Amino acid sequence: MSIKITNELLDAYIDDHLEPTLTAQLEKLIRENPEIHERLSKIQQERDMGEHSPGATWRRERLSCPNREELSSYLLQALDAERLDYIHFHLNQVKCPTCLANIEDLKGNQLIGPKRETMSEFLRKSVRFLPQPDKR
Amino acid sequence: MEVSAFADKVLLGRIRKGDQKAWEEFVGHYQSRLFHLAFKRIKDRDLCDDLVQEAFLGFITNLDKVDEERNYESYLYGILQRRIMDRLRKDYRAPGVENRRDSSGNPAQIEVPDPGTGVSTWYRNEERRKIENDALAEALARIIKEYVNSGDYQKLKVMELLWVKGMENLEVSKLLNMDNRAVASIKHRALEDIKTILHEKNLSPSSFPGL
């Protein structure tokens, strides 16, 4: 399959927002084609200099992501048809990674998840990084 | 402000005061969804646990940078996604290239600059960056809100595929079963609207690649 390499596509690649198969194809092209590698570096440099593309901002701020309550309602199919259709698109066509992770979590997949004992240990150790409580 | 966003803001305020219970609540609230985000890319539970913990540590040690007026869930996801990318570039390859080796027999690497670590990061005034970033986010949020409020989800889908997924016009028109000219027109209108909003804020669109 041939891929049209737009700057927006390279931008989405930097944010790891592409499907694994497309990522693999693109990585191969980047490795083999100096011109594409150059374009990718230029986009990264622009980001380093603080220039913002619409796509990078949209992804980072999650501007069109449904909130958690809406995702719960989506699972129950308790939204109007247009909104349901859009969320379906956002999950299945855009494949938004954070919303998909939220859906997995909301489905209550107990077989896959953080280990309780590991997180308890982490909590115990991490409190030392908290700001000191105001003693006044 | 939505109820959940308000509750998050209160929780963040308590964490900033060193409230351990609030920190536990925060970790408990986000750990599972963060884990699932990591697990989608890295099918190693122990490694995912590590990455989630690194994301929480990144959050707590940068509390002063967290803007409580913004959605800090996105900030947390951003930290985790950078950790995931770092890990993928070090140890993993996407399907199809995972068996590539360099001349020493080690997994092949792609030299993609690490986001946010370039020397040029310091060239631009941090405050200016924030103003520009906020303005672009606000402009985008405004056009997205207009699409949603008017039930014009087709336009939202077009723009999301073009910008978030990086597709080209023709690909979008085929996917959404639309005329290619209609896609181009929606994109043109969105660009004009964003430029107008940026001009209102006395910002030059030339600072924004893709506009």
Side-chain angles (χ1 to χ4, degrees):
Chain A
M1 190 184 89
S2 69
I3 320 172
K4 173 93 175 178
I5 312 293
T6 62
N7 283 354
E8 288 80 9
L9 186 73
L10 293 172
D11 213 26
Y13 166 74
I14 291 171
D15 285 338
D16 192 28
H17 214 86
L18 303 175
E19 290 149 56
T21 47
L22 183 55
T23 299
Q25 285 178 300
L26 196 52
E27 286 185 341
K28 188 169 183 291
L29 286 169
I30 293 164
R31 198 178 285 120
E32 293 170 351
N33 189 324
E35 186 264 333
I36 297 173
H37 192 281
E38 180 68 23
R39 279 171 59 196
L40 182 70
S41 297
K42 186 169 178 288
I43 291 169
Q44 186 62 67
Q45 281 167 12
E46 285 172 350
R47 284 184 171 213
D48 288 345
M49 289 177 74
E51 292 179 352
H52 326 276
S53 73
T57 303
W58 191 323
R59 283 186 294 272
R60 186 181 56 245
E61 302 287 335
R62 303 178 61 229
L63 291 173
S64 56
C65 289
N67 62 33
R68 186 127 163 124
E69 288 72 24
E70 271 196 305
L71 288 173
S72 299
S73 302
Y74 169 79
L75 287 174
L76 299 168
Q77 296 286 291
L79 291 167
D80 67 60
E82 281 185 326
R83 194 65 187 160
L84 279 176
D85 175 66
Y86 170 70
I87 296 175
H88 183 78
F89 163 86
H90 185 75
L91 294 170
N92 296 287
Q93 205 77 58
V94 178
K95 296 187 190 298
C96 172
T98 48
C99 288
L100 286 169
N102 261 302
I103 285 282
E104 286 296 321
D105 180 39
L106 285 165
K107 282 180 179 169
N109 189 344
Q110 301 297 322
L111 297 174
I112 306 165
K115 291 196 199 92
R116 193 182 297 269
E117 62 276 20
T118 311
M119 291 313 290
S120 301
E121 178 70 5
F122 167 71
L123 272 171
R124 193 179 63 74
K125 288 181 178 171
S126 65
V127 289
R128 70 191 165 96
F129 294 105
L130 281 172
Q132 289 301 304
D134 193 349
K135 295 271 190 321
R136 282 175 298 173
Chain B
M1 187 180 282
E2 293 171 34
V3 175
S4 59
F6 178 73
D8 277 355
K9 191 175 169 181
V10 171
L11 194 59
L12 183 62
R14 287 170 55 204
I15 293 169
R16 281 196 160 125
K17 288 178 181 164
D19 184 333
Q20 289 189 22
K21 285 280 176 207
W23 177 238
E24 284 175 24
E25 207 177 308
F26 180 83
V27 172
H29 193 58
Y30 286 108
Q31 62 180 18
S32 179
R33 60 187 97 167
L34 289 175
F35 181 90
H36 284 291
L37 181 61
F39 197 73
K40 281 208 169 294
R41 297 293 275 125
I42 298 173
K43 303 294 185 193
D44 178 329
R45 296 184 65 172
D46 291 334
L47 189 49
C48 288
D49 276 339
D50 289 347
L51 292 170
V52 169
Q53 290 176 19
E54 285 175 25
F56 280 125
L57 276 181
F59 184 87
I60 199 173
T61 52
N62 287 285
L63 269 179
D64 55 324
K65 292 182 187 147
V66 181
D67 182 351
E68 62 183 34
E69 296 305 322
R70 306 264 289 266
N71 180 352
Y72 64 74
E73 187 180 351
S74 301
Y75 182 67
L76 194 54
Y77 283 136
I79 299 172
L80 178 61
Q81 279 183 316
R82 281 194 293 280
R83 298 287 189 278
I84 293 170
M85 284 301 278
D86 287 347
R87 184 62 67 158
L88 286 170
R89 283 171 189 153
K90 276 181 192 161
D91 300 335
Y92 288 76
R93 296 267 42 92
V97 290
E98 67 268 35
N99 295 324
R100 280 179 162 268
R101 301 275 157 178
D102 62 19
S103 55
S104 311
N106 297 316
Q109 299 290 313
I110 293 177
E111 292 172 13
V112 178
D114 188 24
T117 56
V119 176
S120 54
T121 302
W122 289 281
Y123 283 171
R124 189 176 284 253
N125 179 288
E126 192 64 31
E127 198 173 336
R128 179 82 183 163
R129 280 179 64 164
K130 187 176 182 319
I131 290 168
E132 289 175 350
N133 188 31
D134 287 352
L136 181 57
E138 187 191 322
L140 285 165
R142 265 162 70 174
I143 64 164
I144 291 168
K145 194 175 177 185
E146 276 173 27
Y147 295 152
V148 172
N149 287 348
S150 58
D152 212 341
Y153 283 104
Q154 193 74 345
K155 287 182 180 168
L156 179 55
K157 288 178 182 178
V158 166
M159 293 315 300
E160 198 161 356
L161 290 175
L162 287 172
W163 279 344
V164 177
K165 294 298 282 181
M167 289 182 179
E168 58 166 338
N169 291 12
L170 188 61
E171 211 177 347
V172 174
S173 66
K174 282 180 183 167
L175 195 63
L176 297 178
N177 199 20
M178 291 173 69
D179 188 310
N180 192 23
R181 284 167 301 186
V183 171
S185 169
I186 291 168
K187 184 180 180 181
H188 178 75
R189 177 66 195 271
L191 282 168
E192 290 306 307
D193 286 349
I194 288 172
K195 285 178 187 172
T196 302
I197 296 169
L198 295 176
H199 275 303
E200 284 169 9
K201 294 175 178 294
N202 295 318
L203 293 171
S204 166
S206 63
S207 295
F208 303 88
L211 291 185

